[in-house]
Amino acid sequence: MTSDFKSFRYLVAGNAISAYGSYLNLVALNLYALSTTGSAGQTGLIMAVRLAVAFCMGFVSGSIVSRFNRKFVMIFGDLSQAVALTVLLTVPADARPALLYVVAVVAGVGGTLSSVALRSSIPVIVGQDQRVRANGLLTSGRSLAMVAGFASAGIVVTAFGFRTAFAVDAATFVLSAANMARLPLKLRRSESAAPSAGGGSISPMIGLRILRATPVLLVMIAIRAVDGLGSASHNVGLPVYSTALNPAHPAEFVSRFWAIWAVGNILMQRGLVRYLKKSGRSIGENAFSVGTILMSASFIIAFTGPPLIVGVVVALCAGLADGFTDNAYASRLQTVSDDDRGYVFGFSSMAENLGFGSGMVVSALLLDHHSPLWVVGVSHGVAIACGVAFLSYVFVARRREARRSGGEKAAAPLDSAAVGGEAR
């Protein structure tokens, strides 16, 4: 399909609206679960169910987005969540606690399908040469949505109640689905169901077989999963750390941090696109590893209690590095052929959810015995170690290849056929 950035901008706007609903729902649903059940354990279990379902969807999401029209998959992902929230609003009050688990399941299914379908469709919508720019717009929209969703959730619930919060959630998903339905995007299913795969294989096995031909992508996905462990640690640790800093205003630090983080994320997307356009370069796996290292280091420093100005700079750096890493990762995976891309992103989704979900559980347990700095330092330290190890391996491999070729220019990247000559 030829590049259609006008339609894609509308798609970004709709995705940002549904992302706002997702983040608002994340807070409101947890608060409502705690209010209705009176049990922190059940509240945590509902979150665990949501994450577990998102992980399990990795087993089928690749097949679904490869075999069905991706536009319809994204519409289904939004409408299913809107329906679940509407049912929650209309059932009797005594039935709602049990229904919360259903809402969590639907959120895991719908959110994962929409994400995998959208990320695998970007090169089809805008063209391979515009995918970094498109990923930047998409990430910027979601960053704004995250800050707005988290910041407004408490206000909406406190001022208008849970019913209004869930109604707003449902409305955002309906608006996103309606926006998607009207866009002239012809996201047909892939021409073939992963030619490299066996007939009856499940999605992760198909994705793994595809990735074996480009092992560098498999390493990137593994680093991304470890990075999910680190992300979980700072998501769990930030509220605890913020409360310890200012018990009278526990949300002050965490709100400021995420707002500055979002600014850095958005600035990176705009700056990255301009730089790549001006220089003619592109981003690859080495850049992704460097970004992961810098991002993890920034989050660790944020928990050391830096002065206000230094803290602002650190939060900005975390956002810059996070935005760069996210774009580099998605853009690199999108170089896979359209027939295989859905399976690769399905495998990636499974790995990311595994890292983040297990990280949430482990971090919560560790925070009962260790400081937030210790938990975040260990978790993000592992991500830093993986990034450094990967960069070292690539450097040694290229030096060896250069010597083998008699001192000529170093050979192309480890899987050059798939990279297409991307600069590092």
Side-chain angles (χ1 to χ4, degrees):
M1 180 183 293
T2 58
S3 178
D4 187 357
F5 238 92
K6 182 178 180 180
S7 293
F8 186 76
R9 286 193 179 95
Y10 283 112
L11 189 155
V12 168
N15 182 258
I17 291 172
S18 67
Y20 169 78
S22 295
Y23 290 117
L24 175 63
N25 179 39
L26 190 64
V27 177
L29 196 66
N30 285 343
L31 291 175
Y32 184 72
L34 184 60
S35 174
T36 55
T37 65
S39 169
Q42 285 202 50
T43 303
L45 183 58
I46 290 171
M47 171 63 75
V49 167
R50 183 172 182 166
L51 291 172
V53 170
F55 165 73
C56 291
M57 282 303 298
F59 287 89
V60 296
S61 58
S63 295
I64 291 173
V65 303
S66 296
R67 297 176 182 178
F68 296 94
N69 186 305
R70 295 174 200 164
K71 178 177 178 178
F72 294 159
V73 171
M74 286 184 273
I75 292 173
F76 168 80
D78 284 334
L79 289 182
S80 62
Q81 295 180 78
V83 169
L85 289 165
T86 302
V87 172
L88 182 64
L89 286 169
T90 56
V91 298
D94 58 351
R96 290 174 191 164
L99 193 60
L100 289 174
Y101 291 92
V102 177
V103 174
V105 169
V106 174
V109 172
T112 302
L113 283 177
S114 294
S115 176
V116 173
L118 177 56
R119 291 200 294 174
S120 61
S121 297
I122 285 177
V124 182
I125 300 172
V126 302
Q128 281 284 358
D129 60 329
Q130 294 289 328
R131 69 186 191 283
V132 175
R133 180 185 176 193
N135 288 324
L137 286 175
L138 193 65
T139 301
S140 297
R142 292 192 66 85
S143 298
L144 288 173
M146 188 194 79
V147 175
F150 284 159
S152 66
I155 299 173
V156 172
V157 170
T158 301
F160 304 104
F162 289 109
R163 290 179 63 85
T164 299
F166 293 142
V168 171
D169 289 345
T172 62
F173 291 118
V174 171
L175 286 173
S176 177
N179 176 67
M180 177 65 68
R182 75 177 187 83
L183 292 179
L185 303 177
K186 299 178 181 179
L187 302 178
R188 301 182 180 91
R189 69 180 182 87
S190 300
E191 293 299 321
S192 62
S196 59
S201 300
I202 58 175
S203 289
M205 295 306 298
I206 298 174
L208 188 59
R209 291 175 186 175
I210 294 169
L211 290 166
R212 286 176 63 185
T214 53
V216 71
L217 294 186
L218 192 58
V219 175
M220 288 181 67
I221 292 173
I223 294 175
R224 192 68 169 176
V226 174
D227 178 53
L229 185 72
S231 296
S233 70
H234 67 245
N235 273 279
V236 175
L238 273 172
V240 177
Y241 180 68
S242 184
T243 301
L245 284 179
N246 191 347
H249 301 283
E252 180 179 346
F253 175 82
V254 67
S255 299
R256 182 176 67 243
F257 182 91
W258 283 126
I260 298 170
W261 171 90
V263 171
N265 198 308
I266 294 168
L267 287 175
M268 172 53 69
Q269 304 305 334
R270 296 181 64 86
L272 180 62
V273 171
R274 290 183 179 181
Y275 167 74
L276 296 179
K277 182 177 180 180
K278 184 177 180 179
S279 67
R281 295 170 63 87
S282 57
I283 50 179
E285 58 269 8
N286 283 9
F288 161 77
S289 297
V290 172
T292 299
I293 294 168
L294 295 177
M295 175 184 62
S296 293
S298 297
F299 276 112
I300 293 173
I301 295 171
F303 282 81
T304 61
L308 179 61
I309 298 301
V310 177
V312 169
V313 173
V314 169
L316 188 67
C317 290
L320 289 167
D322 210 348
F324 178 82
T325 304
D326 186 74
N327 199 324
Y329 180 75
S331 298
R332 184 61 184 84
L333 263 61
Q334 285 162 355
T335 59
V336 176
S337 69
D338 187 48
D339 287 342
D340 296 342
R341 200 179 301 127
Y343 294 101
V344 170
F345 273 103
F347 187 90
S348 171
S349 175
M350 186 179 65
E352 291 177 74
N353 280 301
L354 177 61
F356 188 78
S358 60
M360 292 285 283
V361 175
V362 172
S363 297
L365 293 174
L366 289 176
L367 282 170
D368 287 336
H369 306 283
H370 301 283
S371 68
L373 174 59
W374 189 92
V375 175
V376 172
V378 170
S379 300
H380 275 294
V382 174
I384 291 175
C386 289
V388 171
F390 177 67
L391 287 175
S392 301
Y393 169 75
V394 173
F395 176 77
V396 171
R398 288 179 178 172
R399 288 291 298 272
R400 186 183 300 117
E401 183 63 27
R403 289 196 299 268
R404 186 181 299 120
S405 60
E408 297 179 359
K409 185 178 179 180
L414 301 180
D415 55 339
S416 57
V419 175
E422 293 202 4
R424 298 302 182 269

PDB file of all heavy atoms in Angstrom, residues 294-331:
ATOM      1  N   LEU A 294      20.955   3.267  28.535  1.00  0.00           N
ATOM      2  CA  LEU A 294      20.770   4.622  29.049  1.00  0.00           C
ATOM      3  C   LEU A 294      19.445   4.760  29.800  1.00  0.00           C
ATOM      4  O   LEU A 294      19.370   5.433  30.836  1.00  0.00           O
ATOM      5  CB  LEU A 294      20.826   5.629  27.897  1.00  0.00           C
ATOM      6  CG  LEU A 294      22.175   5.737  27.174  1.00  0.00           C
ATOM      7  CD1 LEU A 294      22.066   6.702  26.006  1.00  0.00           C
ATOM      8  CD2 LEU A 294      23.265   6.182  28.137  1.00  0.00           C
ATOM      9  N   MET A 295      18.394   4.138  29.290  1.00  0.00           N
ATOM     10  CA  MET A 295      17.095   4.202  29.946  1.00  0.00           C
ATOM     11  C   MET A 295      17.150   3.558  31.327  1.00  0.00           C
ATOM     12  O   MET A 295      16.686   4.124  32.321  1.00  0.00           O
ATOM     13  CB  MET A 295      16.033   3.506  29.086  1.00  0.00           C
ATOM     14  CG  MET A 295      14.656   3.417  29.733  1.00  0.00           C
ATOM     15  SD  MET A 295      13.480   2.489  28.725  1.00  0.00           S
ATOM     16  CE  MET A 295      14.252   0.874  28.674  1.00  0.00           C
ATOM     17  N   SER A 296      17.714   2.360  31.397  1.00  0.00           N
ATOM     18  CA  SER A 296      17.794   1.662  32.678  1.00  0.00           C
ATOM     19  C   SER A 296      18.637   2.434  33.680  1.00  0.00           C
ATOM     20  O   SER A 296      18.292   2.533  34.865  1.00  0.00           O
ATOM     21  CB  SER A 296      18.368   0.250  32.467  1.00  0.00           C
ATOM     22  OG  SER A 296      17.474  -0.560  31.724  1.00  0.00           O
ATOM     23  N   ALA A 297      19.763   3.005  33.211  1.00  0.00           N
ATOM     24  CA  ALA A 297      20.605   3.794  34.100  1.00  0.00           C
ATOM     25  C   ALA A 297      19.852   5.013  34.636  1.00  0.00           C
ATOM     26  O   ALA A 297      19.980   5.373  35.814  1.00  0.00           O
ATOM     27  CB  ALA A 297      21.875   4.229  33.356  1.00  0.00           C
ATOM     28  N   SER A 298      19.044   5.644  33.788  1.00  0.00           N
ATOM     29  CA  SER A 298      18.283   6.819  34.217  1.00  0.00           C
ATOM     30  C   SER A 298      17.279   6.459  35.302  1.00  0.00           C
ATOM     31  O   SER A 298      17.122   7.202  36.289  1.00  0.00           O
ATOM     32  CB  SER A 298      17.562   7.439  33.016  1.00  0.00           C
ATOM     33  OG  SER A 298      18.481   7.895  32.050  1.00  0.00           O
ATOM     34  N   PHE A 299      16.593   5.338  35.135  1.00  0.00           N
ATOM     35  CA  PHE A 299      15.612   4.940  36.145  1.00  0.00           C
ATOM     36  C   PHE A 299      16.293   4.601  37.471  1.00  0.00           C
ATOM     37  O   PHE A 299      15.759   4.891  38.545  1.00  0.00           O
ATOM     38  CB  PHE A 299      14.780   3.759  35.644  1.00  0.00           C
ATOM     39  CG  PHE A 299      13.631   4.164  34.780  1.00  0.00           C
ATOM     40  CD1 PHE A 299      13.614   3.857  33.418  1.00  0.00           C
ATOM     41  CD2 PHE A 299      12.554   4.847  35.315  1.00  0.00           C
ATOM     42  CE1 PHE A 299      12.553   4.235  32.623  1.00  0.00           C
ATOM     43  CE2 PHE A 299      11.484   5.234  34.511  1.00  0.00           C
ATOM     44  CZ  PHE A 299      11.486   4.933  33.171  1.00  0.00           C
ATOM     45  N   ILE A 300      17.455   4.004  37.416  1.00  0.00           N
ATOM     46  CA  ILE A 300      18.171   3.697  38.660  1.00  0.00           C
ATOM     47  C   ILE A 300      18.551   4.993  39.380  1.00  0.00           C
ATOM     48  O   ILE A 300      18.343   5.136  40.592  1.00  0.00           O
ATOM     49  CB  ILE A 300      19.422   2.857  38.368  1.00  0.00           C
ATOM     50  CG1 ILE A 300      19.027   1.467  37.865  1.00  0.00           C
ATOM     51  CG2 ILE A 300      20.285   2.719  39.632  1.00  0.00           C
ATOM     52  CD1 ILE A 300      20.201   0.624  37.396  1.00  0.00           C
ATOM     53  N   ILE A 301      19.099   5.963  38.641  1.00  0.00           N
ATOM     54  CA  ILE A 301      19.512   7.236  39.243  1.00  0.00           C
ATOM     55  C   ILE A 301      18.319   7.965  39.852  1.00  0.00           C
ATOM     56  O   ILE A 301      18.441   8.632  40.890  1.00  0.00           O
ATOM     57  CB  ILE A 301      20.204   8.118  38.184  1.00  0.00           C
ATOM     58  CG1 ILE A 301      21.505   7.454  37.716  1.00  0.00           C
ATOM     59  CG2 ILE A 301      20.495   9.510  38.731  1.00  0.00           C
ATOM     60  CD1 ILE A 301      22.155   8.144  36.527  1.00  0.00           C
ATOM     61  N   ALA A 302      17.140   7.829  39.232  1.00  0.00           N
ATOM     62  CA  ALA A 302      15.945   8.512  39.739  1.00  0.00           C
ATOM     63  C   ALA A 302      15.600   8.088  41.154  1.00  0.00           C
ATOM     64  O   ALA A 302      14.979   8.858  41.910  1.00  0.00           O
ATOM     65  CB  ALA A 302      14.763   8.250  38.808  1.00  0.00           C
ATOM     66  N   PHE A 303      15.997   6.890  41.553  1.00  0.00           N
ATOM     67  CA  PHE A 303      15.673   6.379  42.879  1.00  0.00           C
ATOM     68  C   PHE A 303      16.776   6.645  43.908  1.00  0.00           C
ATOM     69  O   PHE A 303      16.682   6.171  45.040  1.00  0.00           O
ATOM     70  CB  PHE A 303      15.398   4.875  42.809  1.00  0.00           C
ATOM     71  CG  PHE A 303      14.040   4.530  42.270  1.00  0.00           C
ATOM     72  CD1 PHE A 303      13.801   4.523  40.908  1.00  0.00           C
ATOM     73  CD2 PHE A 303      12.996   4.217  43.128  1.00  0.00           C
ATOM     74  CE1 PHE A 303      12.545   4.213  40.402  1.00  0.00           C
ATOM     75  CE2 PHE A 303      11.739   3.903  42.639  1.00  0.00           C
ATOM     76  CZ  PHE A 303      11.505   3.906  41.268  1.00  0.00           C
ATOM     77  N   THR A 304      17.809   7.394  43.532  1.00  0.00           N
ATOM     78  CA  THR A 304      18.897   7.673  44.463  1.00  0.00           C
ATOM     79  C   THR A 304      18.661   8.939  45.272  1.00  0.00           C
ATOM     80  O   THR A 304      19.521   9.325  46.070  1.00  0.00           O
ATOM     81  CB  THR A 304      20.233   7.805  43.699  1.00  0.00           C
ATOM     82  OG1 THR A 304      20.141   8.896  42.770  1.00  0.00           O
ATOM     83  CG2 THR A 304      20.553   6.511  42.955  1.00  0.00           C
ATOM     84  N   GLY A 305      17.537   9.614  45.051  1.00  0.00           N
ATOM     85  CA  GLY A 305      17.242  10.839  45.786  1.00  0.00           C
ATOM     86  C   GLY A 305      17.995  12.046  45.298  1.00  0.00           C
ATOM     87  O   GLY A 305      18.529  12.808  46.116  1.00  0.00           O
ATOM     88  N   PRO A 306      18.073  12.284  43.980  1.00  0.00           N
ATOM     89  CA  PRO A 306      18.818  13.443  43.473  1.00  0.00           C
ATOM     90  C   PRO A 306      18.090  14.750  43.797  1.00  0.00           C
ATOM     91  O   PRO A 306      16.876  14.753  44.045  1.00  0.00           O
ATOM     92  CB  PRO A 306      18.845  13.194  41.957  1.00  0.00           C
ATOM     93  CG  PRO A 306      17.606  12.395  41.680  1.00  0.00           C
ATOM     94  CD  PRO A 306      17.436  11.522  42.887  1.00  0.00           C
ATOM     95  N   PRO A 307      18.813  15.883  43.802  1.00  0.00           N
ATOM     96  CA  PRO A 307      18.151  17.187  43.977  1.00  0.00           C
ATOM     97  C   PRO A 307      17.112  17.426  42.886  1.00  0.00           C
ATOM     98  O   PRO A 307      17.139  16.764  41.840  1.00  0.00           O
ATOM     99  CB  PRO A 307      19.318  18.180  43.861  1.00  0.00           C
ATOM    100  CG  PRO A 307      20.546  17.378  44.160  1.00  0.00           C
ATOM    101  CD  PRO A 307      20.260  15.990  43.671  1.00  0.00           C
ATOM    102  N   LEU A 308      16.237  18.383  43.121  1.00  0.00           N
ATOM    103  CA  LEU A 308      15.104  18.614  42.222  1.00  0.00           C
ATOM    104  C   LEU A 308      15.540  18.804  40.768  1.00  0.00           C
ATOM    105  O   LEU A 308      15.008  18.150  39.869  1.00  0.00           O
ATOM    106  CB  LEU A 308      14.302  19.830  42.695  1.00  0.00           C
ATOM    107  CG  LEU A 308      13.096  20.202  41.816  1.00  0.00           C
ATOM    108  CD1 LEU A 308      12.090  19.069  41.761  1.00  0.00           C
ATOM    109  CD2 LEU A 308      12.452  21.492  42.333  1.00  0.00           C
ATOM    110  N   ILE A 309      16.500  19.692  40.533  1.00  0.00           N
ATOM    111  CA  ILE A 309      16.923  19.985  39.163  1.00  0.00           C
ATOM    112  C   ILE A 309      17.519  18.744  38.514  1.00  0.00           C
ATOM    113  O   ILE A 309      17.219  18.416  37.360  1.00  0.00           O
ATOM    114  CB  ILE A 309      17.935  21.146  39.137  1.00  0.00           C
ATOM    115  CG1 ILE A 309      17.292  22.423  39.684  1.00  0.00           C
ATOM    116  CG2 ILE A 309      18.427  21.369  37.713  1.00  0.00           C
ATOM    117  CD1 ILE A 309      16.065  22.880  38.918  1.00  0.00           C
ATOM    118  N   VAL A 310      18.367  18.047  39.271  1.00  0.00           N
ATOM    119  CA  VAL A 310      18.962  16.822  38.738  1.00  0.00           C
ATOM    120  C   VAL A 310      17.878  15.777  38.472  1.00  0.00           C
ATOM    121  O   VAL A 310      17.915  15.063  37.463  1.00  0.00           O
ATOM    122  CB  VAL A 310      20.017  16.258  39.715  1.00  0.00           C
ATOM    123  CG1 VAL A 310      20.579  14.938  39.199  1.00  0.00           C
ATOM    124  CG2 VAL A 310      21.134  17.261  39.934  1.00  0.00           C
ATOM    125  N   GLY A 311      16.892  15.702  39.367  1.00  0.00           N
ATOM    126  CA  GLY A 311      15.799  14.759  39.191  1.00  0.00           C
ATOM    127  C   GLY A 311      15.000  15.038  37.925  1.00  0.00           C
ATOM    128  O   GLY A 311      14.572  14.104  37.226  1.00  0.00           O
ATOM    129  N   VAL A 312      14.810  16.323  37.639  1.00  0.00           N
ATOM    130  CA  VAL A 312      14.094  16.705  36.414  1.00  0.00           C
ATOM    131  C   VAL A 312      14.881  16.257  35.181  1.00  0.00           C
ATOM    132  O   VAL A 312      14.322  15.709  34.226  1.00  0.00           O
ATOM    133  CB  VAL A 312      13.852  18.225  36.380  1.00  0.00           C
ATOM    134  CG1 VAL A 312      13.358  18.669  35.003  1.00  0.00           C
ATOM    135  CG2 VAL A 312      12.844  18.630  37.444  1.00  0.00           C
ATOM    136  N   VAL A 313      16.188  16.471  35.213  1.00  0.00           N
ATOM    137  CA  VAL A 313      17.037  16.068  34.093  1.00  0.00           C
ATOM    138  C   VAL A 313      17.024  14.548  33.921  1.00  0.00           C
ATOM    139  O   VAL A 313      16.947  14.034  32.800  1.00  0.00           O
ATOM    140  CB  VAL A 313      18.486  16.570  34.302  1.00  0.00           C
ATOM    141  CG1 VAL A 313      19.411  16.016  33.222  1.00  0.00           C
ATOM    142  CG2 VAL A 313      18.528  18.090  34.300  1.00  0.00           C
ATOM    143  N   VAL A 314      17.069  13.831  35.037  1.00  0.00           N
ATOM    144  CA  VAL A 314      17.060  12.369  34.982  1.00  0.00           C
ATOM    145  C   VAL A 314      15.746  11.855  34.400  1.00  0.00           C
ATOM    146  O   VAL A 314      15.731  10.946  33.565  1.00  0.00           O
ATOM    147  CB  VAL A 314      17.295  11.782  36.391  1.00  0.00           C
ATOM    148  CG1 VAL A 314      17.013  10.285  36.402  1.00  0.00           C
ATOM    149  CG2 VAL A 314      18.724  12.053  36.843  1.00  0.00           C
ATOM    150  N   ALA A 315      14.627  12.422  34.857  1.00  0.00           N
ATOM    151  CA  ALA A 315      13.326  12.014  34.326  1.00  0.00           C
ATOM    152  C   ALA A 315      13.229  12.310  32.834  1.00  0.00           C
ATOM    153  O   ALA A 315      12.684  11.512  32.059  1.00  0.00           O
ATOM    154  CB  ALA A 315      12.202  12.720  35.082  1.00  0.00           C
ATOM    155  N   LEU A 316      13.783  13.452  32.421  1.00  0.00           N
ATOM    156  CA  LEU A 316      13.785  13.808  31.000  1.00  0.00           C
ATOM    157  C   LEU A 316      14.629  12.816  30.207  1.00  0.00           C
ATOM    158  O   LEU A 316      14.229  12.360  29.126  1.00  0.00           O
ATOM    159  CB  LEU A 316      14.321  15.229  30.833  1.00  0.00           C
ATOM    160  CG  LEU A 316      14.219  15.833  29.428  1.00  0.00           C
ATOM    161  CD1 LEU A 316      12.754  16.057  29.049  1.00  0.00           C
ATOM    162  CD2 LEU A 316      14.982  17.150  29.360  1.00  0.00           C
ATOM    163  N   CYS A 317      15.796  12.465  30.744  1.00  0.00           N
ATOM    164  CA  CYS A 317      16.668  11.489  30.073  1.00  0.00           C
ATOM    165  C   CYS A 317      15.997  10.121  29.981  1.00  0.00           C
ATOM    166  O   CYS A 317      16.128   9.430  28.963  1.00  0.00           O
ATOM    167  CB  CYS A 317      17.991  11.365  30.821  1.00  0.00           C
ATOM    168  SG  CYS A 317      19.058  12.819  30.676  1.00  0.00           S
ATOM    169  N   ALA A 318      15.280   9.729  31.041  1.00  0.00           N
ATOM    170  CA  ALA A 318      14.560   8.457  31.015  1.00  0.00           C
ATOM    171  C   ALA A 318      13.528   8.450  29.896  1.00  0.00           C
ATOM    172  O   ALA A 318      13.367   7.458  29.175  1.00  0.00           O
ATOM    173  CB  ALA A 318      13.890   8.198  32.362  1.00  0.00           C
ATOM    174  N   GLY A 319      12.822   9.573  29.728  1.00  0.00           N
ATOM    175  CA  GLY A 319      11.837   9.672  28.658  1.00  0.00           C
ATOM    176  C   GLY A 319      12.467   9.671  27.281  1.00  0.00           C
ATOM    177  O   GLY A 319      11.981   9.019  26.352  1.00  0.00           O
ATOM    178  N   LEU A 320      13.577  10.402  27.138  1.00  0.00           N
ATOM    179  CA  LEU A 320      14.286  10.428  25.859  1.00  0.00           C
ATOM    180  C   LEU A 320      14.754   9.027  25.467  1.00  0.00           C
ATOM    181  O   LEU A 320      14.540   8.577  24.332  1.00  0.00           O
ATOM    182  CB  LEU A 320      15.485  11.369  25.956  1.00  0.00           C
ATOM    183  CG  LEU A 320      15.197  12.877  26.042  1.00  0.00           C
ATOM    184  CD1 LEU A 320      16.458  13.633  26.443  1.00  0.00           C
ATOM    185  CD2 LEU A 320      14.669  13.401  24.715  1.00  0.00           C
ATOM    186  N   ALA A 321      15.399   8.339  26.418  1.00  0.00           N
ATOM    187  CA  ALA A 321      15.925   7.002  26.123  1.00  0.00           C
ATOM    188  C   ALA A 321      14.811   5.990  25.904  1.00  0.00           C
ATOM    189  O   ALA A 321      14.906   5.119  25.032  1.00  0.00           O
ATOM    190  CB  ALA A 321      16.832   6.543  27.270  1.00  0.00           C
ATOM    191  N   ASP A 322      13.740   6.104  26.688  1.00  0.00           N
ATOM    192  CA  ASP A 322      12.605   5.193  26.540  1.00  0.00           C
ATOM    193  C   ASP A 322      11.960   5.358  25.170  1.00  0.00           C
ATOM    194  O   ASP A 322      11.634   4.373  24.486  1.00  0.00           O
ATOM    195  CB  ASP A 322      11.582   5.457  27.645  1.00  0.00           C
ATOM    196  CG  ASP A 322      10.821   4.200  28.028  1.00  0.00           C
ATOM    197  OD1 ASP A 322      10.913   3.208  27.300  1.00  0.00           O
ATOM    198  OD2 ASP A 322      10.127   4.217  29.066  1.00  0.00           O
ATOM    199  N   GLY A 323      11.767   6.614  24.757  1.00  0.00           N
ATOM    200  CA  GLY A 323      11.179   6.864  23.439  1.00  0.00           C
ATOM    201  C   GLY A 323      12.050   6.368  22.309  1.00  0.00           C
ATOM    202  O   GLY A 323      11.564   5.781  21.341  1.00  0.00           O
ATOM    203  N   PHE A 324      13.356   6.581  22.435  1.00  0.00           N
ATOM    204  CA  PHE A 324      14.286   6.113  21.409  1.00  0.00           C
ATOM    205  C   PHE A 324      14.277   4.593  21.310  1.00  0.00           C
ATOM    206  O   PHE A 324      14.216   4.018  20.220  1.00  0.00           O
ATOM    207  CB  PHE A 324      15.696   6.604  21.728  1.00  0.00           C
ATOM    208  CG  PHE A 324      16.732   6.144  20.751  1.00  0.00           C
ATOM    209  CD1 PHE A 324      16.913   6.808  19.557  1.00  0.00           C
ATOM    210  CD2 PHE A 324      17.521   5.031  21.023  1.00  0.00           C
ATOM    211  CE1 PHE A 324      17.865   6.381  18.645  1.00  0.00           C
ATOM    212  CE2 PHE A 324      18.466   4.595  20.117  1.00  0.00           C
ATOM    213  CZ  PHE A 324      18.646   5.277  18.928  1.00  0.00           C
ATOM    214  N   THR A 325      14.323   3.935  22.475  1.00  0.00           N
ATOM    215  CA  THR A 325      14.364   2.472  22.502  1.00  0.00           C
ATOM    216  C   THR A 325      13.106   1.861  21.920  1.00  0.00           C
ATOM    217  O   THR A 325      13.158   0.900  21.148  1.00  0.00           O
ATOM    218  CB  THR A 325      14.561   1.983  23.947  1.00  0.00           C
ATOM    219  OG1 THR A 325      15.744   2.572  24.484  1.00  0.00           O
ATOM    220  CG2 THR A 325      14.685   0.480  23.997  1.00  0.00           C
ATOM    221  N   ASP A 326      11.954   2.416  22.284  1.00  0.00           N
ATOM    222  CA  ASP A 326      10.685   1.882  21.795  1.00  0.00           C
ATOM    223  C   ASP A 326      10.601   1.991  20.274  1.00  0.00           C
ATOM    224  O   ASP A 326      10.180   1.055  19.590  1.00  0.00           O
ATOM    225  CB  ASP A 326       9.531   2.632  22.456  1.00  0.00           C
ATOM    226  CG  ASP A 326       8.183   2.044  22.101  1.00  0.00           C
ATOM    227  OD1 ASP A 326       7.854   0.963  22.636  1.00  0.00           O
ATOM    228  OD2 ASP A 326       7.451   2.649  21.295  1.00  0.00           O
ATOM    229  N   ASN A 327      11.020   3.139  19.735  1.00  0.00           N
ATOM    230  CA  ASN A 327      10.957   3.339  18.286  1.00  0.00           C
ATOM    231  C   ASN A 327      11.965   2.438  17.573  1.00  0.00           C
ATOM    232  O   ASN A 327      11.644   1.816  16.550  1.00  0.00           O
ATOM    233  CB  ASN A 327      11.243   4.808  17.959  1.00  0.00           C
ATOM    234  CG  ASN A 327      10.752   5.192  16.579  1.00  0.00           C
ATOM    235  OD1 ASN A 327      10.806   4.409  15.643  1.00  0.00           O
ATOM    236  ND2 ASN A 327      10.267   6.414  16.438  1.00  0.00           N
ATOM    237  N   ALA A 328      13.174   2.351  18.123  1.00  0.00           N
ATOM    238  CA  ALA A 328      14.193   1.504  17.501  1.00  0.00           C
ATOM    239  C   ALA A 328      13.764   0.045  17.475  1.00  0.00           C
ATOM    240  O   ALA A 328      13.962  -0.666  16.480  1.00  0.00           O
ATOM    241  CB  ALA A 328      15.517   1.641  18.263  1.00  0.00           C
ATOM    242  N   TYR A 329      13.143  -0.398  18.552  1.00  0.00           N
ATOM    243  CA  TYR A 329      12.705  -1.791  18.647  1.00  0.00           C
ATOM    244  C   TYR A 329      11.606  -2.100  17.637  1.00  0.00           C
ATOM    245  O   TYR A 329      11.708  -3.056  16.857  1.00  0.00           O
ATOM    246  CB  TYR A 329      12.202  -2.047  20.069  1.00  0.00           C
ATOM    247  CG  TYR A 329      11.711  -3.451  20.315  1.00  0.00           C
ATOM    248  CD1 TYR A 329      12.607  -4.506  20.455  1.00  0.00           C
ATOM    249  CD2 TYR A 329      10.351  -3.733  20.429  1.00  0.00           C
ATOM    250  CE1 TYR A 329      12.171  -5.802  20.699  1.00  0.00           C
ATOM    251  CE2 TYR A 329       9.897  -5.013  20.667  1.00  0.00           C
ATOM    252  CZ  TYR A 329      10.807  -6.048  20.805  1.00  0.00           C
ATOM    253  OH  TYR A 329      10.364  -7.323  21.036  1.00  0.00           O
ATOM    254  N   ALA A 330      10.552  -1.283  17.650  1.00  0.00           N
ATOM    255  CA  ALA A 330       9.438  -1.528  16.743  1.00  0.00           C
ATOM    256  C   ALA A 330       9.871  -1.405  15.289  1.00  0.00           C
ATOM    257  O   ALA A 330       9.506  -2.231  14.446  1.00  0.00           O
ATOM    258  CB  ALA A 330       8.295  -0.553  17.042  1.00  0.00           C
ATOM    259  N   SER A 331      10.656  -0.385  14.984  1.00  0.00           N
ATOM    260  CA  SER A 331      11.101  -0.167  13.603  1.00  0.00           C
ATOM    261  C   SER A 331      11.947  -1.320  13.097  1.00  0.00           C
ATOM    262  O   SER A 331      11.863  -1.708  11.923  1.00  0.00           O
ATOM    263  CB  SER A 331      11.890   1.147  13.503  1.00  0.00           C
ATOM    264  OG  SER A 331      11.084   2.254  13.844  1.00  0.00           O
TER     265      SER A 331
END
